[in-house]
């Protein structure tokens, strides 16, 4: 009889190994072998669980997206749920310690670069973009017109992505991530009616 939870544990180990390999080698140089060696498993198990490297890479990106979503939910549950709180939680979720980590930063950068060329990754990136804008639009719409909320959401999403990207590529990422988060919050709050 199979041991309950072993399959999920192995899948997570492979996802973690894929993230580590992508962070170290980049998406192009990451192979089934580099992933399986990091996970301490046979390369055939990747095909068994994910159908191949591409399936595992997409699962790893979904893992990052899920982690981002869970972070937002954890933060929003500790607030009054107001528009201001929602916006601040969205920004904070994008700048958590994990999202700032070298592993996450390098992996996100690799995914973004490859998403222009791989339909599966492009679809996941579009989902991420839509989710960010939708969550921001919902929060802004509590205190402004639909059109104003749409514009505010696009501007704030661009600020979040822009500051995150600039920070990830900077000489001193930690300092830049902290400054970027602060500037995004100040900008977002300036758009809300006083």
């Amino acid at each position: 009889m199979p041991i309950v939870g072993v399959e999920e544990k192995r899948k997570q180990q492979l996802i973690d190994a894929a993230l580590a390999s992508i962070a170290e080698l980049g998406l192009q140089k990451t192979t089934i072998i580099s992933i399986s060696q990091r996970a301490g498993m046979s390369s055939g198990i990747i095909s068994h669980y994910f159908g191949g490297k591409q399936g595992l890479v997409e699962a790893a990106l979904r893992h990052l997206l899920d982690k981002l979503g869970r972070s937002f939910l954890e933060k929003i549950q500790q607030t009054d749920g107001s528009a201001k709180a929602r916006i601040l939680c969205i920004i904070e979720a994008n700048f958590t310690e994990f999202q700032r980590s070298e592993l996450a930063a390098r992996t996100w950068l690799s995914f973004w670069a490859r998403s222009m060329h791989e339909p599966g990754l492009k679809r996941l990136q579009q989902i991420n973009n839509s989710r960010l804008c939708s969550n921001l639009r919902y929060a802004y719409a509590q205190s402004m017109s639909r059109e104003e909320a749409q514009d505010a959401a696009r501007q704030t999403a661009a600020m979040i992505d822009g500051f995150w990207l600039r920070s990830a590529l900077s000489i001193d990422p930690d300092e830049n991530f902290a400054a970027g988060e602060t500037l995004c919050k100040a900008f977002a709050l300036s758009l809300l009616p006083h």
Side-chain angles (χ1 to χ4, degrees), residues 44-72:
I45 202 154
I46 293 172
S47 294
H48 174 71
Y49 287 139
F50 300 100
K53 176 187 166 187
Q54 188 63 30
L56 176 53
V57 166
E58 290 178 18
L61 181 53
R62 282 192 300 277
H63 173 74
L64 290 180
L65 293 170
D66 289 345
K67 205 162 177 69
L68 183 63
R70 282 193 309 274
S71 178
F72 167 72

Side-chain angles (χ1 to χ4, degrees), residues 97-175:
E97 187 175 329
F98 174 77
Q99 296 299 338
R100 297 177 184 203
S101 71
E102 190 172 336
L103 177 120
R106 287 182 175 198
T107 304
W108 276 117
L109 293 171
S110 290
F111 282 137
W112 285 339
R114 291 302 307 158
S115 70
M116 293 184 285
H117 307 286
E118 295 181 24
L121 296 180
K122 183 175 185 173
R123 182 182 55 77
L124 290 171
Q125 182 54 32
Q126 289 171 340
I127 289 169
N128 183 45
N129 288 342
S130 295
R131 187 180 297 161
L132 176 59
C133 283
S134 176
N135 286 333
L136 288 165
R137 185 174 52 248
Y138 174 81
Y140 282 120
Q142 294 179 33
S143 59
M144 57 182 67
S145 74
R146 185 176 175 169
E147 293 77 23
E148 290 171 324
Q150 178 67 22
D151 289 345
R154 285 182 179 157
Q155 291 169 352
T156 305
M159 292 285 284
I160 292 168
D161 288 344
F163 274 114
W164 190 95
L165 179 61
R166 290 177 70 88
S167 299
L169 296 173
S170 70
I171 294 171
D172 186 357
D174 289 338
E175 181 181 323

